[in-house]
Amino acid sequence: MSEQILKINKVDICTGSFGNPKDPAVLLIMGAMSSLDWWDEDFCLRLADQGRFVIRYDHRDLGRSTIYDPGTSNYTITDMADDAAGVLDAYSIDQAHIVGMSLGGMIGQILALRYPDRLFTLTLIASSVFGTEMEKLPPMDQSILDHHAKSTSIDWSNRDAVIPYLADGWKTLAGSKSYEQERIYKLAEREADRAKHLPSRFNHALLGGGDVYYDRMGEISVPVLIIHGTEDPALPYEHGLALAKTIPHAELVTLDGSGHEIHSEDWDQIIDSVVKLSSR
């Protein structure tokens, strides 16, 4: 992997890439409070092996990108969409296949509306409708909120406390498939070691903006793939169904027993689906 810090929209954005830059580009956009590390390197390599140039990056307030004081709000979700477009600019990519997970999927929806000429396709993993319709759908499981409530008592300078907290956060998001403790702990270790200041991640809870794009998913014109687990505790399966109903001609791929995660058992199905869509 080639990792670099780029100046985008007057902030530092850390990116990493896999594969041949001459291949079709796939930009991976992770969800809230999650660094690029959670796009597992082996997942990215497998996708690159399918003839794709794969890019992942740290959002603001995560990893090695620009961070702000915890408890402050310095940007909107529209700014985050502009960051994604800026990553493409930095790599001299005119058009790409966008793959967004959770919040990353909502950023992807804004990208498709704000920069329609920059997308070939859009894949939404464990995401939801961007707009008022989301309020009518089943809420996040309370256990996830309870876990993050513990963050106020974490000693963020204590690596031995931080890593289990990060890993257990993903455990609360799991479905009934086996919890991949060893893999998740390795990713948590990497995130902890790369991050400039882990508590800044919670600034994502203050994220606003994007109102002008509310409830406009019906205007998305690029081919759309929706991938959603049947046991997602953060954005229950109904959110994926709502996306499939709202976005014209969207295709839904259901992951039985999967939660709000990219479980290694699902990698082949996810990669095959993305490659098939991006080969159109």
Side-chain angles (χ1 to χ4, degrees):
M1 183 198 72
S2 173
E3 186 173 301
Q4 56 186 318
I5 296 177
L6 305 171
K7 186 65 71 174
I8 295 171
N9 297 328
K10 300 180 180 179
V11 298
D12 291 337
I13 299 292
C14 181
T15 72
S17 63
F18 303 79
N20 187 341
K22 295 181 180 179
D23 287 335
V26 176
L27 180 64
L28 303 177
I29 308 177
M30 187 36 78
M33 300 194 297
S34 301
S35 67
L36 62 75
D37 301 292
W38 297 98
W39 290 113
D40 193 295
E41 185 168 326
D42 289 338
F43 173 90
C44 295
L45 287 169
R46 284 198 200 181
L47 183 53
D49 285 343
Q50 294 297 313
R52 300 296 182 270
F53 180 53
V54 180
I55 304 169
R56 61 181 184 172
Y57 68 98
D58 289 324
H59 291 301
R60 304 187 197 198
D61 278 320
L62 291 168
R64 299 174 63 200
S65 291
T66 289
I67 60 169
Y68 303 92
D69 291 337
T72 63
S73 178
N74 297 277
Y75 51 91
T76 67
I77 191 171
T78 305
D79 292 324
M80 296 177 82
D82 290 343
D83 291 344
V87 171
L88 297 181
D89 291 339
Y91 280 86
S92 299
I93 295 170
D94 293 329
Q95 286 182 292
H97 301 280
I98 303 298
V99 179
M101 178 175 178
S102 193
L103 173 67
M106 297 179 193
I107 292 171
Q109 292 172 58
I110 294 175
L111 271 173
L113 295 167
R114 190 169 173 84
Y115 303 102
D117 294 337
R118 305 300 302 274
L119 279 71
F120 283 125
T121 65
L122 174 62
T123 299
L124 308 173
I125 303 175
S127 193
S128 186
V129 292
F130 184 70
T132 57
E133 288 298 310
M134 188 178 178
E135 300 171 3
K136 304 175 185 178
L137 297 170
M140 180 179 296
D141 190 277
Q142 185 61 41
S143 64
I144 299 170
L145 302 175
D146 292 343
H147 172 76
H148 288 302
K150 300 175 185 177
S151 64
T152 56
S153 61
I154 294 288
D155 178 0
W156 292 98
S157 65
N158 183 349
R159 189 174 184 272
D160 291 336
V162 167
I163 290 170
Y165 169 79
L166 295 175
D168 288 349
W170 285 90
K171 189 173 185 178
T172 67
L173 300 175
S176 59
K177 290 178 178 173
S178 60
Y179 175 59
E180 301 177 285
Q181 180 168 310
E182 182 177 356
R183 184 174 74 86
I184 296 300
Y185 264 73
K186 286 182 178 178
L187 296 179
E189 289 170 357
R190 177 170 166 78
E191 181 177 36
D193 292 341
R194 285 182 65 256
K196 288 182 179 178
H197 191 55
L198 283 166
S200 294
R201 66 201 293 111
F202 296 104
N203 289 339
H204 285 191
L206 305 174
L207 189 64
D211 305 41
V212 69
Y213 300 107
Y214 276 5
D215 303 319
R216 289 177 54 189
M217 288 76 68
E219 299 175 31
I220 295 175
S221 58
V222 300
V224 176
L225 174 67
I226 297 160
I227 301 176
H228 216 103
T230 58
E231 298 180 14
D232 189 328
L235 295 172
Y237 186 58
E238 289 84 353
H239 291 253
L241 294 176
L243 274 172
K245 181 179 179 180
T246 305
I247 299 178
H249 313 299
E251 176 187 351
L252 175 63
V253 172
T254 297
L255 303 177
D256 292 328
S258 295
H260 198 75
E261 58 189 334
I262 301 181
H263 198 286
S264 65
E265 289 184 19
D266 297 322
W267 286 4
D268 286 343
Q269 187 173 5
I270 293 171
I271 290 170
D272 288 348
S273 297
V274 170
V275 169
K276 180 180 177 182
L277 181 72
S278 61
S279 297
R280 292 183 183 178

